[in-house]
Amino acid sequence: MTPRIVELRQGLLKKNDQLAAALRARFRDARLFVVNLVSSPGTGKTRLLEETLTALKSAGHRPAALVGDLETDNDAMRLARSGAPVRQIQTHGICHLEADMVERHLAGWNLADHDFLFVENVGNLVCTSSYDLGESCRVALLSVTEGEDKPLKYPGLYNSADIALITKIDLAVACEFDRQTAHKNLLNLRPGLQLLETSAKTGQGMTEWVDCLLERRRAHLAGP
Amino acid sequence: MHELSIASNLVQTVTDALADSPSVRILRVRLRVGVLSSVEPESLQFCYDIVTRGTRLEGADLEIITVPLAIRCPACQLDVDLPKHTDLRCPRCGQPSGAIVRGKELEVESIEVVDPAEDTP
């Protein structure tokens, strides 16, 4: 018997990638800037998002959010206090969000009513990096409590990010967090990565973060 | 741990690709996995053995080709392989570059099959 080779060269995430591309086109038509927030559990994604939604709303913007967790709608209830429309995505055991989950949870929303959509991914530093959600910008959080070498341990995720946000910066001294090394590690993993430091609790760096979002949205809408 | 869903996608991809030739037997599936793909080859192999049971891929070998990370160096004007995937700078000249040209793949490269007429036990 002579075996023959069938050449395929097909990505295993093709379906997700196609759906994400279709979402990206819809978001663009609606002039909606979409941010995918990724990190390990406990870096403060929800707290950051609470403050971000509140700040954007008070500046006259129209943000909305989807929040992914394995179970419970606790985070959606927390975020809804900002007054922004929020929906919970419960993955029931799946460790990441996929484009079709995002699409299904947008049903009934008029995208053009909003200018920012935040997608808070499931807390996971590995699997979330493989799935394109159609976002305009991927933001990876690193909290000072995790240590400056965390990015080196999970290179795939930090490499896939457009912005790295070092969170809980108010705790940096107490945690003996080595900022310089953290910056170096992140930039080695992804040259050109934009770095910001925030504390959603004290407000430190929050103005720069919100300004960065506004600037990125402007550039995104003006872009090709 | 998303290798189980990746393995299921693999079965679907191969099954779809061979839908027009229902009688060929699949001997081997060749997969290209980049070092930055966030997929762990060992757990993928483990999940593959489970999800292929009762499918056309049952018993077919899974060959995983690991693709090292390579960047395009703007200074050298060359694609260069990197020894370490946590330091994206050209090993020749030291220039950092985020222009990844290889190392994020997660794709079926090819399928090795045998046609039924030739498939004598």
Side-chain angles (χ1 to χ4, degrees):
Chain A
M1 73 181 199
T2 336
R4 65 185 168 90
I5 307 281
V6 180
E7 296 286 341
L8 205 55
R9 285 261 167 188
Q10 187 177 315
L12 289 183
L13 299 174
K14 190 177 162 197
K15 262 190 194 152
N16 185 77
D17 291 344
Q18 285 172 338
L19 198 48
L23 277 176
R24 187 166 281 116
R26 269 178 71 191
F27 295 151
R28 212 186 150 75
D29 288 345
R31 299 178 62 76
L32 183 64
F33 186 74
V34 182
V35 180
N36 180 4
L37 292 172
V38 289
S39 76
S40 50
T43 48
K45 289 187 295 298
T46 311
R47 182 68 193 266
L48 174 86
L49 196 44
E50 278 183 294
E51 302 302 328
T52 308
L53 293 174
T54 304
L56 284 171
K57 272 202 71 95
S58 64
H61 292 279
R62 296 157 291 133
L66 298 176
V67 51
D69 279 300
L70 270 65
E71 302 292 344
T72 83
D73 59 356
N74 292 354
D75 281 1
M77 293 199 295
R78 262 176 80 184
L79 293 171
R81 281 187 240 137
S82 67
V86 179
R87 280 187 184 158
Q88 180 79 45
I89 305 177
Q90 287 184 35
T91 64
H92 302 298
I94 297 176
C95 54
H96 57 270
L97 294 182
E98 299 187 12
D100 78 302
M101 301 179 194
V102 170
E103 190 196 33
R104 278 187 278 121
H105 285 80
L106 292 174
W109 273 358
N110 180 10
L111 298 183
D113 287 347
H114 303 283
D115 48 7
F116 286 94
L117 173 68
F118 294 88
V119 183
E120 181 184 332
N121 218 311
V122 177
N124 183 313
L125 276 178
V126 185
C127 314
T128 51
S129 66
S130 302
Y131 294 86
D132 184 2
L133 305 180
E135 71 262 28
S136 332
C137 177
R138 187 175 293 186
V139 181
L141 281 66
L142 165 70
S143 64
V144 297
T145 52
E146 294 173 277
E148 54 282 338
D149 61 345
K150 194 71 166 270
L152 300 181
K153 297 173 181 167
Y154 298 89
L157 182 112
Y158 290 96
N159 176 271
S160 75
D162 301 299
I163 300 173
L165 211 57
I166 300 176
T167 59
K168 307 187 186 181
I169 198 70
D170 55 306
L171 300 177
V173 175
C175 295
E176 298 179 0
F177 181 73
D178 182 347
R179 288 181 61 223
Q180 237 180 336
T181 304
H183 286 206
K184 192 182 98 203
N185 289 343
L186 286 163
L187 290 172
N188 282 349
L189 275 177
R190 173 133 181 152
L193 183 67
Q194 183 171 10
L195 302 180
L196 292 166
E197 297 176 339
T198 55
S199 165
K201 189 175 160 190
T202 66
Q204 185 183 338
M206 289 300 288
T207 308
E208 289 81 354
W209 157 241
V210 171
D211 285 349
C212 158
L213 289 171
L214 296 173
E215 179 48 41
R216 287 244 173 192
R217 179 173 185 268
R218 240 190 320 271
H220 179 72
L221 294 181
Chain B
M1 173 56 194
H2 61 314
E3 280 77 2
L4 197 58
S5 60
I6 301 279
S8 307
N9 288 352
L10 170 63
V11 171
Q12 192 64 52
T13 304
V14 172
T15 309
D16 289 352
L18 296 178
D20 291 340
S21 22
S23 52
V24 303
R25 192 157 64 89
I26 305 168
L27 299 179
R28 176 185 293 261
V29 176
R30 211 166 272 125
L31 205 61
R32 285 164 56 81
V33 175
V35 291
L36 270 190
S37 68
S38 298
V39 168
E40 165 45 38
E42 245 177 70
S43 50
L44 185 59
Q45 179 72 59
F46 178 79
C47 295
Y48 173 84
D49 294 340
I50 296 168
V51 300
T52 51
R53 279 180 208 156
T55 74
R56 290 185 68 185
L57 284 80
E58 182 164 356
D61 289 330
L62 175 66
E63 181 184 336
I64 298 177
I65 303 163
T66 302
V67 184
L69 188 62
I71 52 166
R72 176 81 185 167
C73 172
C76 301
Q77 292 281 302
L78 281 174
D79 294 348
V80 284
D81 280 330
L82 301 187
K84 252 175 72 182
H85 57 278
T86 49
D87 194 2
L88 272 62
R89 67 183 73 232
C90 175
R92 297 159 54 100
C93 71
Q95 169 93 17
S97 165
I100 294 175
V101 291
R102 280 190 298 279
K104 293 190 127 177
E105 296 79 353
L106 183 54
E107 61 182 27
V108 180
E109 184 185 86
S110 59
I111 315 164
E112 207 173 298
V113 297
V114 61
D115 293 305
E118 296 190 46
D119 194 9
T120 42

